[in-house]
Amino acid sequence: MSLTELSSKPEADNSVLQIWGKQTLKGHVKISGAKNSALAIMAGALLCPDDFRLRNVPSLVDVTRMGQILSALGIKLERNGDIVDINARDIGESKAPYELVSQLRASFFAIGPMLARLGVARVPLPGGCAIGARPVDLHVRGLQSMGADVQIEHGMVHAYVTGPNPRLKGAKIYLDYPSVGATETLMMAATLADGETTIENAAQEPEVSDLANFCNSMGAKIRGAGTNTIIISGVPRLHSTDYNIIPDRVEAATFLVAGAITHSEISLSPIVPDHLTAAIAKLRDIGAKVILEDRDCLRIIGAQSHMATDIETLPYPGFPTDMQAQFMALLTLSEGTSTISETVFENRLRHVAELNRMGADIRVKGNHAIVRGVSMLSGAPVVATDLRASAALVLAGLAAEGKTTIKGLHHLDRGYDNLEDKMRRLGAKLQRVQDDAVADEAATAPATASVE
Ligand code: UD1
């Protein structure tokens, strides 16, 4: 099947997710490949002039969109299960299509590899989750220090290298902030540059290391990924590879919270325990038991009641912003007052209003949310405001009394591979229905047996 046809769910439908809360979860869940790795690595496809294979690619709308962008640039992709074969021998276009890039911020990261391979790239300014201004100045300044001319006009970033041999040049780059995307863009651009590039104050996220490992498996020379200084010695050409994407630590953390918030015992694999250090520490802090059962398998045993804690989101290895909303859902039901400070994005607390609709007691002051634990949440109609907010509402729905109905599922489908199915197998009661069916109050909960 062509990757560009593959969509796990319809993108713009009017379906809603109904959840009947208070079910105890039980069993094992398989964690999919990491969304953020897959997206960056797919952008990295532009660097490789040979065929190559990616394994453990999650089935997500964002991955489909990235596939469509690569197709529009002339790249061929073929998907079979979680394997994607990519042929980027002939890149026919140096301009990424606006309609697609505007829906997916990660597609902007293609500017680095495209510029490195073709000497020219035209990429519209990106969209993505509505969680702040999300500028691309660090990407642009880094490319400029590598010798690129960059013009931004009419919402389009046009980057090019002039001269008879249009090749980027190695440079010393200091990032004002350890941006994940800027680190990835510049690291990819530097793989084919002339000379050595150093990125100081680089992002240390596992997905950056995964991208570096992928590039190295194609013959790139990248050292230091996973630390705050990355050194890239440019090579003239990369070659074919067969690469396995790491497990999704945000999906794993979402399931850990699902276990805690429903006071259940579940296990998950594959995971990389080190990638979950901050999440595991917070879960233990509030009284949940998290046990490393095997090298790549975790078990969570939720406590009957959890205690409050404070969370501040930070670049890795700090507490991830992508897990903030899910932990907020959990803390709404924990005893005492928790403070959550969102320092990475300036507008990432929009789920507060929706959680409050379900009976939570959360007040926002600037980028801090003060969460006073309540004894119960009650199911309500709510709207997902971004990707991780949608997961937080699912978690709140699992713990709430009665029925929760979540709208805005296109956010959920962007980043979770079969979340509903995986939850259902654990014993959650939930179903996706068309909106008009929701209006019909005769709609009743499915029997437990039918949702297994
Ligand atoms: C990536 C992740 C996203 C995660 C985020 C932070 C992908 C596809 N997405 O997004 O899930 O939430 O890291 O861990 O990997 N910034 C600038 N100028 C820039 C770039 C970023 O000011 O040029 C700011 C952003 O506005 C934001 C902060 O830096 O406030 C962090 O952004 P960044 O690390 O770049 O996030 P993304 O790479 O977009």
Side-chain angles (χ1 to χ4, degrees), residues 61 87 90 98-99 106 158 184 206 317 351 393 422 445 448:
V61 168
N87 175 336
D90 306 309
Y98 169 75
E99 320 74 58
H158 180 191
E184 293 175 342
H351 39 283
L393 295 175
K422 292 184 182 185
T448 309

Side-chain angles (χ1 to χ4, degrees), residues 45-49 88-91 112-120 192:
L46 288 155
L47 292 168
C48 184
R89 211 165 299 146
D90 306 309
I91 304 179
M114 215 191 296
L115 186 57
R117 172 110 178 259
L118 305 176
V120 56
L192 295 177

Side-chain angles (χ1 to χ4, degrees), residues 214-250:
F214 163 71
C215 290
N216 284 343
S217 74
M218 298 193 294
K221 293 201 169 121
I222 304 174
R223 285 175 287 140
T227 74
N228 60 5
T229 305
I230 302 179
I231 301 162
I232 307 113
S233 304
V235 295
R237 189 184 191 280
L238 299 181
H239 56 69
S240 178
T241 188
D242 187 324
Y243 192 79
N244 202 30
I245 291 170
I246 57 169
D248 196 305
R249 62 195 169 106
V250 184

Side-chain angles (χ1 to χ4, degrees), residues 35-37 39-40 62 104-109 127 129 131-141 175 177-184 203 205 207 249-250 314-316 320-323 342-346 348 387-388 414:
K35 168 180 86 81
N36 288 349
S37 277
L39 295 176
D62 271 8
L104 178 62
R105 178 176 170 85
S107 57
F108 185 79
F109 308 171
C129 271
I131 52 175
R134 306 188 81 176
V136 289
D137 54 316
L138 299 172
H139 303 241
V140 168
R141 288 214 302 268
L175 297 178
Y177 185 89
S179 152
V180 174
T183 303
E184 293 175 342
E205 269 68 1
E207 295 76 18
R249 62 195 169 106
V250 184
L314 288 168
Y316 191 86
T321 175
D322 287 353
M323 299 177 192
E342 173 57 60
T343 75
V344 179
F345 291 111
E346 73 272 23
R348 207 176 195 182
L387 166 56
R388 304 304 168 187
R414 283 190 43 212

Side-chain angles (χ1 to χ4, degrees), residues 124-362:
L125 287 165
C129 271
I131 52 175
R134 306 188 81 176
V136 289
D137 54 316
L138 299 172
H139 303 241
V140 168
R141 288 214 302 268
L143 294 174
Q144 284 169 329
S145 19
M146 294 172 78
D149 285 312
V150 183
Q151 283 155 12
I152 304 179
E153 271 175 7
H154 310 298
M156 178 73 76
V157 182
H158 180 191
Y160 53 95
V161 189
T162 48
N165 173 21
R167 195 168 171 204
L168 290 165
K169 289 188 180 47
K172 277 200 183 311
I173 299 167
Y174 171 80
L175 297 178
D176 288 342
Y177 185 89
S179 152
V180 174
T183 303
E184 293 175 342
T185 298
L186 301 173
M187 194 168 74
M188 289 190 275
T191 56
L192 295 177
D194 185 10
E196 187 173 278
T197 300
T198 307
I199 308 174
E200 300 271 14
N201 200 27
Q204 302 175 50
E205 269 68 1
E207 295 76 18
V208 173
S209 305
D210 206 25
L211 175 63
N213 291 337
F214 163 71
C215 290
N216 284 343
S217 74
M218 298 193 294
K221 293 201 169 121
I222 304 174
R223 285 175 287 140
T227 74
N228 60 5
T229 305
I230 302 179
I231 301 162
I232 307 113
S233 304
V235 295
R237 189 184 191 280
L238 299 181
H239 56 69
S240 178
T241 188
D242 187 324
Y243 192 79
N244 202 30
I245 291 170
I246 57 169
D248 196 305
R249 62 195 169 106
V250 184
E251 187 195 13
T254 303
F255 277 99
L256 288 175
V257 173
I261 204 168
T262 57
H263 316 291
S264 303
E265 178 172 343
I266 60 172
S267 61
L268 29 139
S269 69
I271 50 98
V272 180
D274 284 353
H275 297 173
L276 289 160
T277 304
I280 292 172
K282 285 296 161 192
L283 286 164
R284 287 183 175 152
D285 228 24
I286 67 171
K289 271 202 189 126
V290 184
I291 301 161
L292 184 61
E293 289 217 314
D294 205 343
R295 208 170 40 82
D296 69 346
C297 180
L298 279 178
R299 176 173 296 275
I300 171 122
I301 307 173
Q304 270 328 296
S305 69
H306 295 108
M307 288 161 291
T309 190
D310 295 332
I311 289 178
E312 182 179 5
T313 65
L314 288 168
Y316 191 86
F319 190 92
T321 175
D322 287 353
M323 299 177 192
Q324 177 257 109
Q326 301 90 313
F327 272 75
M328 186 183 292
L330 176 58
L331 293 176
T332 63
L333 288 167
S334 300
E335 267 175 47
T337 301
S338 307
T339 303
I340 298 180
S341 307
E342 173 57 60
T343 75
V344 179
F345 291 111
E346 73 272 23
N347 188 18
R348 207 176 195 182
L349 293 171
R350 295 194 307 159
H351 39 283
V352 165
E354 301 304 309
L355 290 171
N356 281 346
R357 283 175 60 76
M358 298 177 70
D361 180 353
I362 313 169

Side-chain angles (χ1 to χ4, degrees), residues 26-92:
K26 196 175 162 209
H28 180 83
V29 61
K30 182 177 178 298
I31 301 301
S32 299
K35 168 180 86 81
N36 288 349
S37 277
L39 295 176
I41 286 174
M42 286 173 77
L46 288 155
L47 292 168
C48 184
D50 294 330
D51 292 352
F52 67 95
R53 175 165 280 189
L54 294 181
R55 297 175 192 269
N56 204 26
V57 180
S59 177
L60 306 168
V61 168
D62 271 8
V63 166
T64 306
R65 280 195 188 129
M66 186 59 108
Q68 289 167 339
I69 290 165
L70 295 180
S71 290
L73 297 171
I75 293 176
K76 296 185 184 68
L77 304 98
E78 196 72 25
R79 180 166 192 143
N80 268 309
D82 67 356
I83 293 179
V84 176
D85 288 314
I86 300 183
N87 175 336
R89 211 165 299 146
D90 306 309
I91 304 179

